[in-house]
Amino acid sequence: MDTVWSVAGATPPEEGGAHEARLRAQLGQAWSLSAMGEMASVLAHELNQPLSAVTNYLRVARTLIAELELADDALIDAVQRAGDQAMRAGEIVRTMRDLAARGAAEQKPESLSAILAEVEFIIESMVGDADARVFYAFYQGMDVVLADRIQIQQLVLNLARNAIDAIGKSPIRDIKISTRLDVDGRMLTTVEDSGPGVDAAIMSQLFQPLVSTKPLGMGLGLSICRAIVEHHGGRIWVEPSSLGGAAFSFVLARTVNSDDTAAQSERVRRR
Ligand SMILES: Nc1ncnc2c1ncn2[C@@H]1O[C@H](COP(=O)(O)OP(=O)(O)OP(=O)(O)O)[C@@H](O)[C@H]1O
Ligand SMILES: [Mg+2]
């Protein structure tokens, strides 16, 4: 395995004593959650109005399509998908606000590959016309984790967004999203890219809020990712990717620790 660059949520070095170190870690997390909570309520408040407007206009568009008897499948499909995404945006804002407020997610047994398969088309549309390749390699065995589906999707979309930003100017533009079993039988998800890797100057504060190297970046994505993973009892970290850029990984416990892992882990789908 490559050298680990940074581990979010790890206890800082012991100088000053273990107690102080633990306190510092807890304070850091509390600050990030309250900052996130405040930001989330402002965002929820501000976004509610335009999102309702979008939903209403789409309802009008659907009525017009019916009235004008436009039987164009692509048009109907596009309006339907736009509606789904508006609903999804609302759900994400609510989840983000709830996450900070109640601290616990609504977790159910979910197949990790099914959760990820649902966001593939969003990632494709985020890549858009950029000349990039996205590889998927999902573990096909028992990959059921206790998870809040929307939160895990939000987490992976944040990582994918960062990966897309990172490969922007690189000559080779590859992104890989994969899941596999780790040595402890937990599910490990990795989003990696062929970009330049994480800037050394921000490495030690990478998962803290408001840390960004992007002109228009809010520096919130990774702190939200960390909060989501920690609420799932998991861990997120970054290391160098064999693709040349950064590899962000997080682990989630499976609901069942079956012992038939070796045979199943062979079954990997690639596209
Ligand atoms: N895949 C990556 N490759 C290289 N650097 C990355 C990658 N992902 C994140 N970073 C670095 O980490 C910083 C923080 O990322 P984060 O997602 O928290 O914020 P952001 O992307 O800058 O803004 P926001 O997500 O709020 O729009 C980024 O500005 C970037 O410098
Ligand atoms: Mg980001």
Side-chain angles (χ1 to χ4, degrees):
M1 199 195 197
D2 293 315
T3 331
V4 174
W5 285 351
S6 169
V7 180
T11 315
E14 293 253 313
E15 15 88 41
H19 176 69
E20 199 191 314
R22 206 168 42 243
L23 207 63
R24 268 210 309 272
Q26 280 166 356
L27 281 175
Q29 190 182 339
W31 187 78
S32 77
L33 277 181
S34 72
M36 215 180 83
E38 257 166 58
M39 205 86 78
S41 356
V42 174
L43 277 180
H45 182 253
E46 296 297 315
L47 287 177
N48 211 24
Q49 208 105 51
L51 279 174
S52 317
V54 168
T55 310
N56 282 335
Y57 283 129
L58 285 169
R59 199 168 296 137
V60 173
R62 264 202 298 272
T63 312
L64 283 176
I65 287 172
E67 278 175 12
L68 299 173
E69 293 175 8
L70 298 173
D72 186 309
D73 285 348
L75 176 62
I76 294 167
D77 187 51
V79 170
Q80 177 64 42
R81 281 182 183 234
D84 292 349
Q85 290 308 306
M87 297 280 284
R88 186 183 164 76
E91 225 173 312
I92 288 172
V93 171
R94 268 191 303 281
T95 307
M96 201 169 134
R97 194 185 46 197
D98 292 353
L99 173 67
R102 67 190 150 100
E106 202 178 294
Q107 298 174 356
K108 290 193 294 229
E110 303 266 10
S111 156
L112 193 55
S113 55
I115 288 180
L116 298 180
E118 277 182 9
V119 292
E120 279 182 27
F121 84 92
I122 301 179
I123 294 172
E124 305 302 331
S125 70
M126 277 158 53
V127 171
D129 295 335
D131 185 19
R133 296 185 297 179
V134 187
F135 300 91
Y136 300 93
F138 297 156
Y139 176 66
Q140 295 288 288
M142 211 298 286
D143 69 346
V144 177
V145 292
L146 205 57
D148 184 311
R149 186 172 56 86
I150 297 286
Q151 284 185 5
I152 298 300
Q153 291 176 338
Q154 191 184 349
L155 156 62
V156 171
L157 287 174
N158 276 341
L159 296 178
R161 174 78 265 162
N162 282 346
I164 293 166
D165 290 346
I167 58 172
K169 296 186 208 94
S170 300
I172 297 172
R173 288 187 279 275
D174 285 342
I175 293 172
K176 185 175 168 192
I177 300 175
S178 56
T179 66
R180 63 183 167 86
L181 270 190
D182 75 358
V183 285
D184 299 320
R186 293 169 306 184
M187 290 311 303
L188 188 135
T189 305
T190 302
V191 179
E192 55 195 310
D193 62 71
S194 61
V198 175
D199 189 331
I202 59 159
M203 189 57 88
S204 61
Q205 311 111 52
L206 193 60
F207 292 91
Q208 287 171 19
L210 311 179
V211 172
S212 178
T213 57
K214 301 174 192 173
L216 296 175
M218 288 185 72
L220 279 184
L222 287 179
S223 61
I224 292 171
C225 291
R226 185 181 83 161
I228 291 174
V229 171
E230 289 178 355
H231 281 128
H232 282 78
R235 198 168 72 88
I236 182 169
W237 69 95
V238 65
E239 58 197 345
S241 162
S242 57
L243 296 179
F248 284 85
S249 299
F250 62 89
V251 282
L252 298 172
R254 289 192 304 168
T255 50
V256 185
N257 270 321
S258 51
D259 53 10
D260 55 348
T261 54
Q264 291 177 335
S265 60
E266 304 283 314
R267 291 169 20 212
V268 170
R269 175 168 68 93
R270 289 181 199 284
R271 10 175 284 187

